[in-house]
Amino acid sequence: MLPPTIPVLKEHAKRVYYQMQFWLGFNLNPEDWGWRRTSNMLLPIINTKPVAPKELLEMVFCGCKIYCNTSRCSCKKAGIKCSYSCKNCNGQSCENAADIRNVILESDVEDENDDDFEQRNDDFEDQLEEKVYEFNAQE
């Protein structure tokens, strides 16, 4: 498993802040605070950045015979979806394949909301980075 990164910490902190505000009775839009809406529920945004450089992700592949649903699948173990580089499933015929429809829909939504999102959250991110820096300096 990969260690936490600054983008992961930021998303977690936003979700914690949203939860506290919810408990205090303030009605914030969860999609502005680390959550994304699906057709019937909210899901946490874990990371806004790729888990690794594209070149590295293309080097990871599995040789599973069927399904890719166990921890023996090297892709699943690395925390990524199977891709066209995988020997048998080609990232299409397994349980660990990326749903291309969701990827396309999510990227469209991200493109529309990126500018607005950045404007609303720049101050929050700056404050969070400052706190992380102060915390690291204390150690």
Side-chain angles (χ1 to χ4, degrees):
M1 179 175 273
L2 296 173
T5 61
I6 295 296
V8 171
L9 174 63
K10 287 179 184 178
E11 292 304 313
H12 178 71
K14 287 194 278 187
R15 290 190 305 273
V16 169
Y17 180 80
Y18 171 78
Q19 184 66 53
M20 293 300 300
Q21 296 304 308
F22 182 80
W23 287 341
L24 294 171
F26 296 105
N27 189 15
L28 301 176
N29 181 359
E31 294 174 88
D32 293 337
W33 296 99
W35 297 92
R36 66 181 174 92
R37 189 174 305 277
T38 65
S39 60
N40 60 354
M41 72 176 102
L42 291 170
L43 295 174
I45 298 171
I46 303 300
N47 196 355
T48 57
K49 305 287 184 197
V51 295
K54 183 181 177 188
E55 295 80 18
L56 178 62
L57 293 176
E58 289 175 351
M59 292 174 58
V60 177
F61 59 90
C62 70
C64 301
K65 302 286 184 216
I66 55 173
Y67 304 124
C68 302
N69 63 349
T70 67
S71 59
R72 294 193 318 203
C73 174
S74 55
C75 293
K76 189 168 185 156
K77 187 184 283 187
I80 61 174
K81 297 291 184 184
C82 290
S83 69
Y84 64 89
S85 302
C86 296
K87 290 182 181 176
N88 295 313
C89 69
N90 295 319
Q92 297 176 354
S93 59
C94 70
E95 293 182 20
N96 193 41
D99 184 353
I100 191 67
R101 291 171 296 167
N102 287 344
V103 171
I104 291 169
L105 292 175
E106 288 172 13
S107 66
D108 289 345
V109 170
E110 287 174 10
D111 290 343
E112 293 171 6
N113 294 329
D114 276 349
D115 294 335
D116 192 36
F117 176 81
E118 290 298 324
Q119 290 172 357
R120 287 193 311 259
N121 292 302
D122 276 346
D123 290 338
F124 176 78
E125 290 178 359
D126 291 343
Q127 291 172 359
L128 182 60
E129 285 179 13
E130 185 177 308
K131 295 295 182 191
V132 169
Y133 178 77
E134 289 172 7
F135 177 77
N136 289 336
Q138 292 174 357
E139 291 184 341

